[in-house]
Amino acid sequence: MKGETEGFILAAQDQALFTRNFLANVIKNGADPLCRFCRKFNEDIDHLISGCPVLAKTEYKKRHDKVGQYIHWKLCKQFELPCANKWYQHETEPVVENEKATILWDFDVHTDKTIKANRPDIIVKDYENRTCFLIDMSNPSDNNVSVKEIEKLSKYKDLEIEITKMWRIKAVTVPVIIGALGVINKNVEKHIRKLPCTLNIQEMQKITLMGTAQILRKTLSN
């Protein structure tokens, strides 16, 4: 990571960037503290990087999908499925499969019982080990990392049960939660060790931080 980007991220972690809330309540220059995009909440760092409903549809999704792109690439390499030489050149196809595994990207699972949470980010059917991994990612504010982990594990419990019955393989939920400013829960390593591929936590943190830096630069210059 370039020194300029690292310094920018450190300033964000220290809440020392010129958001509207900072201008209004710290510098007290009479600025309007409301978010320039949604106009509903005060515009502080946490709001811009993970809490704005307007940015969620575009900027947050791009950052989220970059982390998913890396995980998908590592899985494809592990199961000898088609993939690019570098993760950032990799195309996440909706379905890729061979005799070893099937990998589904952003795919609805149709079950006999109606389940609302039926679309984890990545589904991996590992035929050799008779296991199905439900991988779901999130980049919340650093304060909500632990809460998001518990939420993901609870959210897909019903889908785990249905998949185990339908496909007759063990289903396991794997939450991958990286805070928007880099914080991780102590359980992240335990969760990703369940996967058949080896993920680099530092690489996923870097991808997340680069995405956050891009979001902040775009929004604060608007």
Side-chain angles (χ1 to χ4, degrees):
M1 191 178 291
K2 292 181 180 178
E4 179 191 356
T5 303
E6 186 176 348
F8 188 71
I9 289 294
L10 287 171
Q13 290 172 339
D14 289 339
Q15 306 290 310
L17 296 178
F18 290 127
T19 62
R20 289 189 170 185
N21 188 67
F22 186 89
L23 294 173
N25 295 308
V26 178
I27 295 180
K28 297 185 178 179
N29 67 351
D32 179 358
L34 289 180
C35 173
R36 68 195 76 187
F37 298 102
C38 69
R39 302 294 302 165
K40 293 180 180 178
F41 306 99
N42 280 6
E43 184 189 278
D44 57 17
I45 296 295
D46 282 349
H47 176 75
L48 285 178
I49 63 177
S50 63
C52 180
V54 174
L55 298 175
K57 300 169 186 175
T58 53
E59 302 304 322
Y60 303 165
K61 188 176 187 307
K62 287 179 191 174
R63 179 181 58 193
H64 165 279
D65 287 354
K66 283 290 183 184
V67 179
Q69 185 179 356
Y70 167 76
I71 296 171
H72 194 277
W73 175 73
K74 291 288 280 187
L75 288 164
C76 286
K77 287 189 72 176
Q78 176 67 32
F79 290 114
E80 299 176 356
L81 288 157
C83 61
N85 291 328
K86 304 289 185 182
W87 74 263
Y88 48 82
Q89 299 169 335
H90 180 63
E91 296 289 336
T92 50
E93 300 292 338
V95 182
V96 286
E97 59 185 336
N98 60 16
E99 69 282 355
K100 295 183 178 181
T102 297
I103 302 175
L104 309 174
W105 170 266
D106 199 19
F107 208 87
D108 284 332
V109 179
H110 297 290
T111 57
D112 294 334
K113 177 183 175 183
T114 301
I115 297 174
K116 290 183 179 179
N118 68 341
R119 192 172 186 156
D121 295 315
I122 302 172
I123 299 172
V124 184
K125 294 184 193 177
D126 181 349
Y127 298 131
E128 184 178 351
N129 296 306
R130 302 293 300 162
T131 307
C132 179
F133 300 98
L134 311 178
I135 306 169
D136 211 58
M137 300 152 312
S138 184
N139 303 120
S141 68
D142 288 356
N143 295 330
N144 290 331
V145 165
S146 295
V147 173
K148 271 292 177 187
E149 177 201 7
I150 295 167
E151 182 184 300
K152 297 290 185 187
L153 290 170
S154 173
K155 180 179 179 180
Y156 292 107
K157 184 56 67 177
D158 286 343
L159 186 59
E160 281 182 28
I161 295 168
E162 287 301 304
I163 284 177
T164 300
K165 287 194 300 186
M166 286 192 317
W167 297 344
R168 297 181 182 176
I169 56 177
K170 182 182 178 183
V172 179
T173 300
V174 180
V176 181
I177 314 298
I178 312 287
L181 289 174
V183 165
I184 57 172
N185 185 288
K186 62 183 179 181
N187 293 325
V188 165
E189 195 169 349
K190 178 188 77 175
H191 290 309
I192 66 174
R193 273 203 304 261
K194 297 173 186 175
L195 295 173
C197 65
T198 302
L199 299 179
N200 186 318
I201 294 175
Q202 288 77 20
E203 185 67 20
M204 292 191 290
Q205 285 176 299
K206 180 181 174 182
I207 294 167
T208 301
L209 288 172
M210 295 292 284
T212 295
Q214 186 176 19
I215 290 168
L216 286 172
R217 285 189 176 118
K218 285 176 71 175
T219 54
L220 293 175
S221 65
N222 191 302

